[in-house]
Amino acid sequence: MKKTKAIIVTGPTATGKTSLAVKLAREFNGEIISADSRQVYKGLDLGTGKDIEEYGVGDSAVKYHLIDNCSPGEIYHLKQFNYDAKKLIVDISSRNRLPIIAGGTALYIDSLISNYEFPINAPDLQLRNSLKNKSTEELAEYLKTNNPELFNKLENKNSRPRLVRAIESVLSVKEQRFEISNDITFDCLIIGTYFERTKVHERIAIRLEQRIEAGMIEEVENLHKNGLSWERLDSFGLEYRYISKYIKGELSLDEMKSALLAKIRKLARSQDVWFRKMEQKGHKIYWTKEGNYKQSCQLVQTFLENKILPEPQIKLKDIYYGPKAQ
């Protein structure tokens, strides 16, 4: 069993994960692996908070992975992420650099630290859900592009069930390579960026306005003009779903902003629940107040020197916001 060390920087939305991860990468000769289920897609920039400028430019730029890897018309799912991330961890470590996984998709993080098993050809609910969000025309185009021979063999090329079954069979063959992912294990230090909930809500509101001013609405318009269906945009989450409603005239600008703000805040609370569950399963998350860089560096240094880490000072599972907490 090959083992290596890796750092995970995670936390709820709008808590500065990318900024902290980049600083740690510069300090400890690291490379960043994105653990964000949407940043892997090209063109989904402002809506997913890629913040590419954070990584720098030129020779001094921090190298990153699993960002802009595939077109928004492709399918990228949990099993593929798990394989890709573990392969990258081994590769980065083999070059004497530090793998730093950064992102807020709790399912992706949990799949790594809990060592999810992915039996070959087992049902993949996330994959099936992503297929549900595609139109029949998109399914046909995907199969035609990725396996034209199988596409041509279909008697009824407009049959959604047959297209879905065909795509699943194509992907299951491709996923034979994923069997090695369960043979890779690693030691990880999990650092969380912690803010009081009211502060998180404030940061979400500020960030939303900044992204709209920066052109997030135009980003969604361009994605649709370039061929993405409204259904596919809806599948990419809150920003793309509610801005699409605004573009289609279903919501006014103010209604869209208000609904989106409420939904993103609700997302932050659901991420909080995920992290609590991780703690309850025994995973130690070192929550640093407002992503404290100095404290994070001390933790990483202790971890890399194989010294005993202190107990986490903050545990989400011990924080109670009350039955009506917002």
Side-chain angles (χ1 to χ4, degrees):
M1 300 284 283
K2 185 175 178 58
K3 241 180 180 182
T4 188
K5 285 183 177 288
I7 307 298
I8 294 175
V9 178
T10 191
T13 188
T15 55
K17 297 180 292 294
T18 298
S19 178
L20 178 59
V22 169
K23 289 177 182 177
L24 292 175
R26 294 190 188 281
E27 182 71 25
F28 294 98
N29 190 35
E31 295 182 18
I32 292 176
I33 302 169
S34 171
D36 186 295
S37 62
R38 303 182 300 170
Q39 290 186 3
V40 71
Y41 294 107
K42 298 174 183 177
L44 276 65
D45 301 325
L46 290 168
T48 66
K50 285 178 183 173
D51 299 326
I52 296 298
E53 67 280 358
E54 294 268 10
Y55 299 95
V57 295
D59 294 337
S60 63
V62 170
K63 190 171 183 178
Y64 57 82
H65 307 270
L66 301 188
I67 295 178
D68 291 338
N69 277 51
C70 54
S71 76
E74 294 180 72
I75 297 169
Y76 192 89
H77 49 85
L78 177 63
K79 188 183 293 186
Q80 185 169 345
F81 164 79
N82 192 272
Y83 172 82
D84 290 342
K86 288 184 175 180
K87 184 177 178 181
L88 282 165
I89 289 169
V90 172
D91 173 64
I92 293 168
S93 180
S94 72
R95 292 185 278 106
N96 296 316
R97 297 175 69 84
L98 179 64
I100 300 177
I101 301 105
T105 301
L107 178 62
Y108 279 19
I109 298 292
D110 196 42
S111 77
L112 293 175
I113 63 178
S114 297
N115 202 29
Y116 284 18
E117 292 187 3
F118 296 98
I120 297 173
N121 296 331
D124 188 322
L125 298 180
Q126 190 183 29
L127 167 60
R128 292 185 178 182
N129 186 58
S130 66
L131 294 178
K132 287 180 183 178
N133 289 319
K134 282 182 170 287
S135 66
T136 301
E137 292 74 17
E138 287 175 317
L139 292 173
E141 184 61 31
Y142 179 86
L143 183 60
K144 185 177 180 180
T145 301
N146 287 273
N147 195 316
E149 183 178 354
L150 181 57
F151 176 78
N152 291 329
K153 287 181 179 179
L154 288 181
E155 293 183 6
N156 185 355
K157 295 178 175 57
N158 295 316
S159 169
R160 186 179 184 85
R162 292 188 179 185
L163 286 167
V164 169
R165 285 197 295 272
I167 290 174
E168 287 185 335
S169 69
V170 169
L171 291 174
S172 70
V173 170
K174 288 183 178 180
E175 287 169 4
Q176 299 293 326
R177 65 192 180 100
F178 292 133
E179 63 183 319
I180 72 167
S181 68
N182 290 332
D183 295 329
I184 301 171
T185 60
F186 58 96
D187 292 326
C188 64
L189 167 66
I190 310 171
I191 297 175
T193 50
Y194 176 80
F195 286 80
E196 294 285 348
R197 181 167 286 179
T198 54
K199 186 66 175 178
V200 173
H201 287 188
E202 291 173 8
R203 290 171 64 89
I204 288 171
I206 293 170
R207 189 185 67 172
L208 178 58
E209 286 296 334
Q210 289 174 338
R211 290 182 176 176
I212 288 175
E213 290 177 8
M216 189 161 60
I217 293 173
E218 291 76 11
E219 175 174 296
V220 180
E221 287 177 330
N222 289 332
L223 286 167
H224 181 62
K225 288 177 183 178
N226 289 330
L228 281 189
S229 68
W230 295 121
E231 292 78 10
R232 181 58 172 161
L233 284 165
D234 183 89
S235 75
F236 285 131
L238 300 174
E239 293 85 356
Y240 298 93
R241 181 176 307 142
Y242 283 89
I243 290 176
S244 292
K245 289 178 181 291
Y246 163 68
I247 295 171
K248 290 186 288 183
E250 297 175 4
L251 295 173
S252 68
L253 181 60
D254 287 341
E255 288 172 336
M256 180 271 287
K257 287 183 179 181
S258 179
L260 189 48
L261 181 59
K263 293 294 184 179
I264 296 174
R265 286 173 170 170
K266 184 177 180 180
L267 169 65
R269 296 195 294 274
S270 69
Q271 289 173 315
D272 185 288
V273 171
W274 259 101
F275 296 127
R276 287 168 185 262
K277 289 180 179 178
M278 289 181 195
E279 289 180 340
Q280 289 165 357
K281 287 198 295 185
H283 299 299
K284 289 184 178 180
I285 303 177
Y286 288 86
W287 295 101
T288 59
K289 288 187 177 181
E290 302 195 357
N292 186 282
Y293 173 62
K294 183 177 179 180
Q295 182 186 357
S296 298
C297 282
Q298 291 172 342
L299 287 166
V300 173
Q301 191 66 50
T302 301
F303 174 70
L304 294 179
E305 292 176 354
N306 295 311
K307 295 179 179 178
I308 297 175
L309 287 160
E311 282 297 306
Q313 297 176 356
I314 300 172
K315 297 180 181 179
L316 292 188
K317 63 186 181 68
D318 294 335
I319 299 175
Y320 179 62
Y321 290 105
K324 296 183 179 180
Q326 297 299 315

